[in-house]
Amino acid sequence: MTKGLAIWEAYREFESAIVEAARPIAGFLSPFDREQTFDSQLEKVHSLFRRQLAIPLYDMEATFAEYEEWSEDPIPESVIQNYNKALQQLERYKPYEEALLQAEAPRLAEYQAYIDFEMKIGDPARVQLIFERALVENCLVPDLWIRYSQYLDRQLKVKDLVLSVHNRAVRNCPWTVALWSRYLLAMERHGVDHRVISVTFEKALSAGFIQATDYVEIWQAYLDYLRRRVDFKQDSSKELEELRSAFSRALEYLKQEVEERFNESGDPSCMIMQNWARIEARLCNNMQKARELWDSIMTKGNAKYANMWLEYYNLERAHGDTQHCRKALHRAVQCTSDYPEHVCEVLLTMERTEGTLEDWDIAVQKTETRLARVNEQRIKAAEKEAALAQQEEEKAEQRKRARAEKKALKKKKKTRGADKRKAEEDDEKEWGDDEEEQPSKRRKVENSTPPAGEAQDLEAETGLFGKSAPVDVDAPSKQKERAAALKRDVPKVPHDSSKDSITVFVSNLPYSMGEPDVKLRPLFEACGEVADIRPIFSNRGDFRGYCYVEFKEEKSALQALQLDRKTVEGRPMFVSPCVDKSKNPDFKVFRYSTALEKHKLFVSGLPFSCTKEELEEICKAHGTVKDIRLVTNRAGKPKGLAYVEYENESQASQAVLKMDGMTIKDNVIKVAISNPPQRKVPEKPEARKAPGGAMVPRQIYGARGKGRTQLSLLPRALQRPSETAVQAENGPAPPPAVTASAATEAPKMSNADFAKLLLRK
């Protein structure tokens, strides 16, 4: 519909040029010659116009106007009717054509909808046309080839067309066994020579199927074809010998080739061998060969299944004798482990109708003995299972108690650590700055830290609170001078929680960023009008790597979330909603799926120098790539991992088979379907509270042990006994309230008293 106009116009221009060339001499010709040359050529142009106007194409109105201008005679009514009918068809087709024009390649879903529409109308030419258009962009989609070939097999049935499409299908998707099976059936259906079919089957065996069962399926299709060639009225023939040799070759091929490659036979129920036995018994009257085959089937691990014995029993019942039926059922009673009651019932039924009294007694004795043994085994298995379940429950209870004891011990240690640090702080208060200066210092620290929710969020994402900031241990006067020199205009309140809906929290920014509010403003103003950008600084005036961005409107804040993971000065910037996690502990900002995604691949082992474009070039050879995400660390450096999203599951599964183990820049990559492990739930704030209710700070030690500010500056002679030592001598530690009161009641010493103690001989 979109490109047909150009073809028709080119054709008409060619015929019109012939008319114009013959026009000057038309007046000098005889009526007969004029009719044979000029008039007949003129009628060709008229015919082209009429044929074109009867087909729904874009710009039909312009073609109709051109025909009215070109034609010297009025346009016939039949042409106008066909033109109006084509216009109506055009209106029905337009939505599908416009959907194709608006969508991006390969547009499989749009083509599928268009095919459904054409199939309902049922015009064979148009159905074939839309299939061909879809396959131009989706030639690696097996389902599309299967649907097209199925339509041709059932509707058109034109030999050359059908075989050509089947040949193209297996050439584009050779890994799909269904296409090869349909190709063999189509060749047989249209009477292709036997040698050509055999050659096609050999090509199918070397196509490289992805499952062991695929080889079983293609062998069954070929063996069915060979069986249909045999005339079983003859005792022996060339075709029968060929069929038997093919069965033998199939069993050998599955044993040697398939089992070595896939570590499985692909035919655990021995379906090929069963079919061979049925053919020998029913069509060749060769029960001896059928029994040999069934004996092989049972020795391959199928003797424990009741349905296999009953299948053999039915074959013997139809084509064998009662003696072998009885023998088969007696063996079945002894060997069957899944449904022995059913086999016993069949044996008793046969003996009730055909057996003697002796046969009946033997059958009853065997069935009773077997069922008693089976019941005994089931009771033992049930007791064993119950014992295992009880052991698992006991182990789970032990693990639960161990976790509870470990948790209690951890809380106890934290409580001791909190009491010890409190005592050290009291000592520092006693010998350090005056108490009047302490509240102002605490207020400065509080004004420079984010609220509880953002602090926890930042700690989880960036680990900023896991590093102890360097602290100047100079004299108090020097500290004050240095803090005054480095002090910035730090906001008193970092964030107003009432403005959460119009504010975003930005983290993982470089600490070295100068004037972050100035550098970030152009980036966020692209999302909407920015009301304020509040970077957070430390007490010394250093940028702490995060800030709050407040907008005028809520939609601007929502749009700013799209900037998450955008690179800023070499680091991925994290942009998340401003949510107080102390009030919303279940809030999560992880934006990627953590469940199984069958259309997405996880690639590991990539070289760090591999770019997104290079990986996309490799992946698109196996299907349509919708998105690629290279995983980086917080500094923006690649981790050698990537997620590749394909259009559908079929393409992703093919890509796994083709790419797993591939070498890229001397690195062997691993490719698997994306199925991330469960993310660990972060520890809730309540879990870190001491028994008294106060939040216990974490012990953060660096590579060199304790930080300088955590070391006591008192001489050993003046240090108070630690809480641990007191507990060792006097029993359990006193509660926090008692420790605090004892510290406050201790006599205070001035600097002069401290100097006298040092000078004492």
Side-chain angles (χ1 to χ4, degrees):
M1 286 179 58
T2 56
K3 300 180 180 180
L5 179 65
I7 299 175
W8 282 103
E9 286 184 348
Y11 193 4
R12 282 193 286 104
E13 287 179 4
F14 168 73
E15 296 291 354
S16 297
I18 298 177
V19 171
E20 295 302 324
R23 191 179 294 278
I25 62 173
F28 303 99
L29 298 175
S30 63
F32 178 78
D33 293 337
R34 178 185 175 90
E35 182 180 356
Q36 292 293 322
T37 56
F38 182 75
D39 292 344
S40 63
Q41 185 64 32
L42 196 65
E43 182 60 28
K44 283 185 179 181
V45 179
H46 277 285
S47 176
L48 286 177
F49 268 114
R50 295 166 185 168
R51 289 167 59 192
Q52 180 180 350
L53 291 174
I55 299 174
L57 298 171
Y58 275 27
D59 295 331
M60 290 185 63
E61 296 83 355
T63 304
F64 186 78
E66 183 181 353
Y67 186 32
E68 285 184 322
E69 182 180 354
W70 182 85
S71 178
E72 297 176 355
D73 301 326
I75 299 178
E77 186 64 26
S78 60
V79 176
I80 297 176
Q81 291 179 357
N82 291 335
Y83 167 69
N84 292 330
K85 184 177 179 181
L87 280 178
Q88 294 176 359
Q89 292 179 345
L90 179 64
E91 292 301 320
R92 289 185 297 180
Y93 292 132
K94 262 188 178 180
Y96 299 97
E97 293 289 350
E98 290 175 355
L100 290 175
L101 292 174
Q102 294 173 3
E104 297 181 358
R107 302 176 284 207
L108 179 60
E110 288 76 14
Y111 276 119
Q112 292 281 18
Y114 206 164
I115 290 172
D116 293 338
F117 174 73
E118 292 287 8
M119 296 274 277
K120 289 179 181 178
I121 295 177
D123 185 352
R126 294 196 63 87
V127 173
Q128 182 186 355
L129 175 63
I130 191 60
F131 268 117
E132 293 292 346
R133 289 174 61 187
L135 287 169
V136 169
E137 299 181 18
N138 299 277
C139 61
L140 298 179
V141 180
D143 293 340
L144 194 58
W145 284 108
I146 290 174
R147 190 176 182 186
Y148 186 24
S149 60
Q150 181 177 335
Y151 173 78
L152 295 178
D153 287 335
R154 297 178 180 178
Q155 301 295 330
L156 294 186
K157 301 180 181 180
V158 179
K159 177 180 178 180
D160 294 337
L161 175 62
V162 170
L163 296 181
S164 173
V165 170
H166 278 289
N167 187 28
R168 289 162 54 203
V170 297
R171 193 169 66 245
N172 282 277
C173 304
W175 61 85
T176 308
V177 67
L179 293 175
W180 287 102
S181 300
R182 290 173 179 274
Y183 193 12
L184 294 177
L185 289 172
M187 296 175 77
E188 181 185 2
R189 194 177 293 118
H190 291 282
V192 177
D193 186 71
H194 172 62
R195 287 174 296 180
V196 178
I197 296 178
S198 299
V199 170
T200 304
F201 169 70
E202 297 298 333
K203 290 181 180 179
L205 285 182
S206 60
F209 299 131
I210 60 178
Q211 297 178 9
T213 54
D214 293 344
Y215 288 93
V216 177
E217 183 177 345
I218 194 64
W219 269 110
Q220 284 183 329
Y222 184 60
L223 292 170
D224 291 344
Y225 157 71
L226 293 179
R227 195 267 306 163
R228 288 189 286 267
R229 295 181 68 243
V230 178
D231 183 8
F232 290 99
K233 296 179 179 179
Q234 302 178 8
D235 293 339
S236 180
S237 63
K238 180 181 178 182
E239 289 79 7
L240 180 58
E241 294 302 323
E242 184 178 3
L243 174 62
R244 284 172 172 163
S245 63
F247 269 114
S248 300
R249 184 191 168 199
L251 299 177
E252 191 70 21
Y253 186 91
L254 294 177
K255 181 179 179 181
Q256 293 185 355
E257 302 290 338
V258 178
E259 288 188 15
E260 290 179 3
R261 177 181 174 186
F262 296 97
N263 294 325
E264 58 175 317
S265 66
D267 189 13
S269 299
C270 301
M271 293 304 300
I272 290 181
M273 204 177 297
Q274 287 189 45
N275 291 336
W276 190 5
R278 293 188 189 100
I279 290 174
E280 292 290 351
R282 297 174 181 174
L283 301 178
C284 300
N285 297 320
N286 189 355
M287 277 303 298
Q288 182 62 32
K289 180 65 175 178
R291 292 183 183 117
E292 293 176 1
L293 291 170
W294 270 104
D295 189 60
S296 299
I297 292 172
M298 293 305 181
T299 56
K300 293 183 180 294
N302 293 298
K304 58 184 177 181
Y305 300 118
N307 66 319
M308 300 296 289
W309 284 108
L310 295 179
E311 189 72 24
Y312 176 39
Y313 166 74
N314 291 331
L315 191 66
E316 282 285 0
R317 192 79 171 155
H319 306 283
D321 51 50
T322 305
Q323 181 182 357
H324 284 90
C325 289
R326 182 177 290 109
K327 183 179 178 181
L329 289 177
H330 281 201
R331 291 176 59 192
V333 168
Q334 297 299 324
C335 300
T336 302
S337 60
D338 55 351
Y339 299 105
E341 296 90 349
H342 189 35
V343 175
C344 292
E345 182 181 353
V346 174
L347 174 59
L348 293 176
T349 301
M350 189 192 77
E351 298 297 359
R352 181 177 286 114
T353 56
E354 300 181 19
T356 63
L357 179 59
E358 183 181 358
D359 294 333
W360 171 261
D361 291 338
I362 294 174
V364 170
Q365 182 181 357
K366 284 193 173 184
T367 55
E368 288 179 351
T369 304
R370 175 59 178 163
L371 292 178
R373 188 163 63 248
V374 168
N375 290 331
E376 183 180 351
Q377 292 174 353
R378 289 175 179 174
I379 292 173
K380 289 182 179 180
E383 292 175 351
K384 185 178 180 181
E385 185 177 354
L388 290 175
Q390 186 176 359
Q391 289 179 4
E392 289 296 326
E393 290 179 1
E394 292 176 355
K395 289 181 180 179
E397 189 66 27
Q398 291 176 359
R399 288 193 296 266
K400 187 176 180 181
R401 286 197 299 267
R403 284 196 298 267
E405 292 174 359
K406 187 177 180 182
K407 190 174 181 181
L409 182 61
K410 191 174 181 181
K411 285 185 177 181
K412 194 173 182 180
K413 288 182 179 179
K414 287 183 178 179
T415 306
R416 294 175 184 173
D419 295 340
K420 182 179 179 181
R421 283 192 296 273
K422 189 169 184 66
E424 291 177 355
E425 289 174 2
D426 292 339
D427 292 341
E428 290 178 2
K429 277 185 185 180
E430 187 173 342
W431 298 102
D433 296 337
D434 295 337
E435 287 186 7
E436 296 176 340
E437 297 180 0
Q438 299 301 323
S440 62
K441 288 186 178 181
R442 285 198 297 271
R443 282 196 297 271
K444 288 181 181 179
V445 174
E446 290 171 358
N447 289 338
S448 64
T449 51
E454 269 59 34
Q456 293 165 14
D457 188 22
L458 186 65
E459 183 179 357
E461 286 201 32
T462 64
L464 289 177
F465 298 144
K467 300 178 181 179
S468 57
V471 179
D472 198 340
V473 294
D474 291 338
S477 59
K478 291 185 178 181
Q479 290 183 10
K480 293 178 182 178
E481 293 175 2
R482 183 169 298 178
L486 297 174
K487 185 177 179 181
R488 301 197 183 198
D489 296 331
V490 180
K492 296 297 182 184
V493 180
H495 174 62
D496 184 2
S497 59
S498 64
K499 298 181 179 180
D500 282 348
S501 60
I502 58 173
T503 307
V504 295
F505 181 66
V506 184
S507 60
N508 203 43
L509 296 170
Y511 299 157
S512 59
M513 178 182 286
E515 298 184 347
D517 51 342
V518 177
K519 293 185 178 180
L520 293 176
R521 185 172 291 274
L523 189 63
F524 285 97
E525 281 182 344
C527 303
E529 186 177 355
V530 177
D532 189 20
I533 296 180
R534 297 186 295 279
I536 305 302
F537 298 94
S538 67
N539 210 26
R540 298 180 43 154
D542 298 324
F543 180 48
R544 300 188 66 177
Y546 61 95
C547 65
Y548 298 89
V549 181
E550 181 182 331
F551 292 91
K552 292 287 188 181
E553 298 178 352
E554 184 176 352
K555 64 179 182 179
S556 303
L558 295 175
Q559 187 175 353
L561 297 177
Q562 303 299 322
L563 298 176
D564 187 35
R565 266 67 175 183
K566 183 176 181 61
T567 303
V568 176
E569 295 189 3
R571 290 177 67 89
M573 173 181 67
F574 298 164
V575 183
S576 59
C578 195
V579 176
D580 189 350
K581 285 194 173 180
S582 63
K583 300 178 181 178
N584 300 278
D586 297 331
F587 178 77
K588 295 181 177 61
V589 278
F590 192 74
R591 62 174 182 167
Y592 302 114
S593 174
T594 58
L596 174 65
E597 297 176 283
K598 295 184 179 179
H599 66 289
K600 187 179 291 186
L601 305 183
F602 175 68
V603 185
S604 60
L606 290 170
F608 294 154
S609 60
C610 182
T611 63
K612 182 177 180 179
E613 291 74 17
E614 292 174 345
L615 183 58
E616 183 177 7
E617 189 67 25
I618 296 172
C619 296
K620 71 180 183 181
H622 310 294
T624 304
V625 179
K626 295 181 66 176
D627 185 34
I628 291 181
R629 176 167 65 92
L630 294 178
V631 182
T632 60
N633 59 15
R634 298 186 184 281
K637 304 298 182 182
K639 299 174 70 174
L641 309 174
Y643 288 91
V644 182
E645 182 178 357
Y646 280 93
E647 188 171 46
N648 53 51
E649 300 175 9
S650 175
Q651 296 179 5
S653 61
Q654 295 303 323
V656 171
L657 295 170
K658 303 295 182 182
M659 293 174 58
D660 189 29
M662 179 185 291
T663 302
I664 299 179
K665 295 182 181 180
D666 299 330
N667 283 35
V668 179
I669 65 172
K670 293 183 179 180
V671 184
I673 297 297
S674 175
N675 189 14
Q678 293 294 326
R679 294 176 63 83
K680 294 183 179 179
V681 180
E683 185 181 5
K684 294 187 177 180
E686 291 79 1
R688 298 203 303 271
K689 288 187 178 181
M695 185 72 74
V696 179
R698 294 185 181 183
Q699 289 283 0
I700 305 299
Y701 300 142
R704 299 182 181 180
K706 291 185 177 181
R708 293 175 64 186
T709 57
Q710 298 182 5
L711 298 177
S712 177
L713 301 179
L714 289 175
R716 289 193 184 93
L718 301 178
Q719 285 183 357
R720 298 180 181 179
S722 65
E723 191 269 341
T724 308
V726 172
Q727 182 177 354
E729 295 179 1
N730 303 326
V738 177
T739 306
S741 63
T744 55
E745 293 175 1
K748 297 182 180 179
M749 300 179 67
S750 64
N751 289 339
D753 295 333
F754 178 57
K756 290 178 182 179
L757 288 172
L758 291 177
L759 296 175
R760 185 178 300 167
K761 299 290 185 174

